[in-house]
């Protein structure tokens, strides 16, 4: 018989069931608490996401509005930029001009124009303007021409008188006035006496005009002067400048300027002379003083219009010491009224004749035929001489009494042969080192070096001894390539500085002076000589002694 469970067993089982029910209830409670926490978290995240979506919508709307406004502003700015570009181009091209800067001491107008005085100056101005505009093509009517000629008027007048191409200095002055009065933008500027006065003005005006966008071309009349080469080399470092500068050729362009590669314009056929001035007075004076036969230099005669005659040529030297000589040709030479010069620029096909430019009087057919039948346009004084009969022996030149007496006092070469042989004076010996070897210096090379200023001066040590030991720290020029004549000129200028060792110097390749090199005919010609009295031959007349002279 099975035993019956006890009450305790039931109680135990009840307690187990109650524990299970409690765990079930706790599970449900925990699930509810967890679900509630999850719900609150998701609700917070949902709220945050909704806020973020709202903000993004606002940002999107603002970006859309801003983009539209920006597009409108960009369109407005593009329109404004196009308008500004057109206005700028219109401003740049509305007052376009070409400037001509001429160094009048070297680029000289033709003698036949200068001899005409005021009228010749006006003709030259109109011819220059027409020739320049002829280079501008179809836009010539829209471009202005500025011309400025810088010169030493007194110095040029004297040089032309000594050359024989100018008889009256007032003609040159009247020519400059006519040139200036012809056009409001044409000027002759007298810079007076002084080294590089015209050079400095031309250089500064060139820089100023190159900075002006309205300036389309700068034409420089500097073909005679190599001193402008470093200036143009510096300007040509910019590619845009290379096409804006043209050299106006009178005398042939010097080698240094031609090597730069600038454009060259030649108007010698209508305006400028192609040869340099020559001091014919000094040549004739020296030939007389040394007893050589006198050869008169043909001068271009000046004949006024409507006054045909056989001219008398007078050569009147400027220097008082040389007697005035008048030579009349022994054979008749008829020089007609100056013919009309039919000359055009080499680069233009439609430049009017010089006589017709700026003239208010129309030419009639009768006047034109008379001019054509009188003498061809190419007739010159030299051709008239060649076509005449052979001349008789040269005329006898009568000298003034005081000049003849002065010449008689000078010992002639024949008299020197008749005198007995005198002992030659002993050459002066300054000391143990002796005299420095003489140098034959070219005056043009010397002038080119003297034009260099400050850091543009050439380094003596670099060019005479080899590479300069200072290198890039040296304050003088090392990159220039001097000619042989310039190297001799550098050596000459360096010798003007006394050597610190003097006659005791034992350096074989010493480049400095060991005695004064400026002594000529017993006088020191240097105005501020740096050498001591002992560095000159005995009895030398010294003008001034430099305060910084080397004393030993």
């Amino acid at each position: 018989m099975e035993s019956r469970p006890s009450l305790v067993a039931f109680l135990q089982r009840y307690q187990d069931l109650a524990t299970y029910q409690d765990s079930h209830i706790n599970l449900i409670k925990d699930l509810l608490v967890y679900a509630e926490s999850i719900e609150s978290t998701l609700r917070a995240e949902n709220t945050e996401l909704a806020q973020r979506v709202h903000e993004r919508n606002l940002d999107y709307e603002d970006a859309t509005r801003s983009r539209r406004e920006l597009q409108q502003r960009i369109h407005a700015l593009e329109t404004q930029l196009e308008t500004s570009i057109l206005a700028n181009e219109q401003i740049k091209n509305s007052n376009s001009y070409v400037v001509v800067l001429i160094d009048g001491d070297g680029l000289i107008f033709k003698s036949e124009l200068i001899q005409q005085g005021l009228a010749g100056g006006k003709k030259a101005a109109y011819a220059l303007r027409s020739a320049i505009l002829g280079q501008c093509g179809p836009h010539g009517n829209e471009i202005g021409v500025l011309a400025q000629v810088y010169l030493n008027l007194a110095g040029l007048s004297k040089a032309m008188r000594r050359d024989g191409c100018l008889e009256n200095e007032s003609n040159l002055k009247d020519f400059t006035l006519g040139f200036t009065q012809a056009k409001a933008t044409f000027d002759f500027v007298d810079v007076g006496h002084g080294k590089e006065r015209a050079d400095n003005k031309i250089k500064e005006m060139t820089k100023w005009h190159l900075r002006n966008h309205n300036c389309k071309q700068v034409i420089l009349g500097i073909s005679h002067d190599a001193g402008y080469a470093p200036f143009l080399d510096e300007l040509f470092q910019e590619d845009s400048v290379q096409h804006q500068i043209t050299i106006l050729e009178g005398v042939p362009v010097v080698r240094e300027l031609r090597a730069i590669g600038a454009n060259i314009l030649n108007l010698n056929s209508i305006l400028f002379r192609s040869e340099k001035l020559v001091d014919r007075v000094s040549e004739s004076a020296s030939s007389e003083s040394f007893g050589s036969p006198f050869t008169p230099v043909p001068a271009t005669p000046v004949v006024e219009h409507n006054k045909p005659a056989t001219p008398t040529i007078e050569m009147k030297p400027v220097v008082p010491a040389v007697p005035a000589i008048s030579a009349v040709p022994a054979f008749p030479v008829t020089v007609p009224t100056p013919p009309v010069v039919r000359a055009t620029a080499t680069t233009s096909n439609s430049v009017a004749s010089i006589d017709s430019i700026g003239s208010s009087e129309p030419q009639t057919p009768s006047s034109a035929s008379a001019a054509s039948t009188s003498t061809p346009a190419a007739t010159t004084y030299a051709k008239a001489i060649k076509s005449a009969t052979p001349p008789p022996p040269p005329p006898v030149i009568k000298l003034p009494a005081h000049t003849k007496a002065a010449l008689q006092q000078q010992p002639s070469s024949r008299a020197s042969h008749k005198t007995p042989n005198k002992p030659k004076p002993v050459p002066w010996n300054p000391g143990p080192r002796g005299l420095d070897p003489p140098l034959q210096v070219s005056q043009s090379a010397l002038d080119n070096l003297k034009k260099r200023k400050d850091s543009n001066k050439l380094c003596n040590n670099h060019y005479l001894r080899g590479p300069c030991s200072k290198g890039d720290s040296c304050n003088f020029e090392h990159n220039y390539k001097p000619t042989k004549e310039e190297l001799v000129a550098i050596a000459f200028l360096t010798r003007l500085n006394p050597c610190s060792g003097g006659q005791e110097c034992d350096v074989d390749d010493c480049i400095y002076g060991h005695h004064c090199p400026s002594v000529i005919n017993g006088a020191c010609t240097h105005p501020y000589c740096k050498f001591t009295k002992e560095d000159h031959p005995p009895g030398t007349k010294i003008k001034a002694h430099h305060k910084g002279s080397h004393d030993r």
Side-chain angles (χ1 to χ4, degrees):
M1 182 174 175
E2 296 181 359
S3 61
R4 295 179 180 181
S6 63
L7 184 60
V8 176
F10 284 106
L11 180 61
Q12 183 63 38
R13 291 176 60 186
Y14 172 77
Q15 289 179 347
D16 293 338
L17 180 61
T19 301
Y20 174 76
Q21 289 179 348
D22 290 339
S23 62
H24 179 70
I25 293 172
N26 290 334
L27 176 61
I28 294 174
K29 288 181 179 181
D30 292 339
L31 289 175
L32 293 176
V33 171
Y34 178 76
E36 185 177 0
S37 63
I38 292 297
E39 181 183 3
S40 60
T41 300
L42 292 177
R43 187 179 293 111
E45 291 180 355
N46 186 29
T47 303
E48 181 181 358
L49 291 174
Q51 182 65 26
R52 292 174 64 181
V53 169
H54 179 68
E55 292 177 354
R56 294 297 183 271
N57 290 333
L58 293 178
D59 292 342
Y60 175 74
E61 293 176 359
D62 184 65
T64 303
R65 183 171 58 254
S66 298
R67 181 178 60 82
R68 290 174 181 174
E69 293 177 355
L70 182 60
Q71 287 178 342
Q72 294 175 357
R73 290 182 62 187
I74 290 175
H75 180 71
L77 290 175
E78 288 178 348
T79 305
Q80 183 178 357
L81 179 61
E82 292 177 358
T83 305
S84 300
I85 292 175
L86 293 177
N88 187 32
E89 292 296 329
Q90 185 177 4
I91 292 174
K92 290 170 60 177
N93 297 322
S94 60
N95 295 317
S96 300
Y97 67 91
V98 175
V99 62
V100 184
L101 304 175
I102 297 177
D103 189 340
D105 294 327
L107 185 62
I108 305 173
F109 287 87
K110 285 183 173 294
S111 301
E112 50 265 31
L113 291 174
I114 296 178
Q115 297 290 5
Q116 298 179 32
L118 194 68
K122 292 182 178 180
K123 291 178 182 178
Y126 288 120
L128 178 61
R129 182 176 183 274
S130 299
I132 298 301
L133 293 180
Q135 305 295 315
C136 301
H139 303 288
N141 296 331
E142 304 173 1
I143 296 178
V145 179
L146 282 68
Q148 292 178 328
V149 184
Y150 301 96
L151 79 165
N152 175 12
L153 185 59
L156 180 60
S157 300
K158 182 178 179 181
M160 294 183 69
R161 285 287 302 275
R162 298 178 72 86
D163 178 77
C165 62
L166 180 67
E167 293 187 355
N168 192 347
E169 294 184 6
S170 62
N171 289 340
L172 178 59
K173 185 176 181 180
D174 293 341
F175 175 83
T176 62
L177 292 177
F179 186 89
T180 303
Q181 294 173 5
K183 299 293 295 183
T185 55
F186 280 44
D187 297 296
F188 254 91
V189 181
D190 185 5
V191 298
H193 177 72
K195 187 178 181 181
E196 296 186 357
R197 290 182 183 269
D199 299 20
N200 292 334
K201 284 187 174 292
I202 290 178
K203 292 176 182 178
E204 291 302 320
M205 292 303 295
T206 300
K207 293 179 181 179
W208 191 88
H209 286 290
L210 287 176
R211 291 193 296 266
N212 191 339
H213 295 288
N214 298 89
C215 180
K216 303 305 179 183
Q217 190 75 202
V218 178
I219 302 177
L220 301 177
I222 57 173
S223 63
H224 62 286
D225 194 348
Y228 288 95
F231 170 70
L232 293 183
D233 276 333
E234 181 180 355
L235 292 181
F236 275 38
Q237 298 301 319
E238 300 182 14
D239 296 336
S240 59
V241 175
Q242 297 181 7
H243 304 288
Q244 280 188 274
I245 294 180
T246 299
I247 295 178
L248 184 58
E249 184 177 36
V251 298
V253 179
V254 294
R255 179 182 57 187
E256 292 81 357
L257 293 178
R258 192 176 294 275
I260 295 175
N263 298 325
I264 298 176
L265 175 63
N266 188 301
L267 301 178
N268 289 351
S269 60
I270 60 173
L271 281 174
F272 304 105
R273 56 184 292 162
S274 59
E275 64 278 354
K276 295 183 178 180
L277 296 176
V278 179
D279 191 351
R280 305 184 188 277
V281 174
S282 299
E283 292 179 359
S284 60
S286 61
S287 64
E288 290 179 9
S289 62
F290 286 101
S292 59
F294 173 78
T295 303
V297 179
T300 304
V302 180
V303 182
E304 297 182 359
H305 292 281
N306 303 325
K307 292 183 181 180
T310 301
T312 299
I313 304 173
E314 275 192 338
M315 301 180 63
K316 297 180 179 179
V318 179
V319 182
V322 181
I325 303 171
S326 63
V328 181
F331 50 92
V333 179
T334 302
V335 180
T337 303
V340 178
V341 181
R342 303 292 180 182
T344 57
T346 57
T347 53
S348 176
N349 296 325
S350 59
V351 180
S353 66
I354 295 179
D355 279 332
S356 63
I357 296 177
S359 177
S360 59
E361 299 181 0
Q363 290 187 350
T364 60
S366 60
S367 63
S369 61
S372 62
T373 56
S374 60
T375 303
T379 301
T380 62
Y381 179 70
K383 289 187 177 180
I385 292 178
K386 291 181 179 179
S387 62
T389 57
V396 178
I397 302 173
K398 296 181 179 181
L399 301 178
H402 64 278
T403 305
K404 184 181 296 184
L407 292 176
Q408 289 176 355
Q409 293 177 1
Q410 297 180 357
S412 63
S413 59
R414 296 181 180 178
S416 62
H417 289 291
K418 294 180 181 180
T419 55
N421 294 331
K422 295 182 179 180
K424 295 183 179 180
V426 179
W428 174 62
N429 186 11
R433 187 179 180 93
L435 296 173
D436 294 329
L439 297 175
Q440 298 294 332
V441 186
S442 169
Q443 186 61 39
S444 61
L446 193 62
D447 293 340
N448 291 339
L449 294 181
K450 289 182 178 180
K451 290 180 180 180
R452 293 179 169 268
K453 301 295 182 182
D454 301 325
S455 60
N456 196 30
K457 290 183 178 180
L458 301 181
C459 178
N460 298 334
N461 283 321
H462 181 77
Y463 291 103
L464 298 180
R465 288 182 172 175
C468 178
S469 59
K470 295 182 180 180
D472 295 337
S473 62
C474 182
N475 297 325
F476 300 101
E477 178 65 30
H478 289 171
N479 297 325
Y480 179 74
K481 294 182 179 179
T483 62
K484 294 181 180 179
E485 291 80 5
E486 290 176 335
L487 287 175
V488 176
I490 295 173
F492 174 78
L493 293 175
T494 308
R495 282 191 185 177
L496 297 179
N497 300 308
C499 174
S500 59
Q503 284 295 317
E504 304 298 329
C505 175
D506 57 353
V507 180
D508 294 336
D509 60 344
C510 182
I511 61 177
Y512 300 102
H514 303 90
H515 59 85
C516 178
S518 305
V519 178
I520 299 178
N521 296 331
C524 179
T525 59
H526 200 291
Y528 301 100
C529 184
K530 299 180 181 180
F531 291 86
T532 63
K533 183 178 180 180
E534 292 74 19
D535 294 331
H536 298 77
T540 301
K541 296 181 181 179
I542 303 176
K543 293 183 178 180
H545 190 68
H546 195 272
K547 293 182 179 180
S549 299
H550 173 66
D551 296 328
R552 296 189 295 273

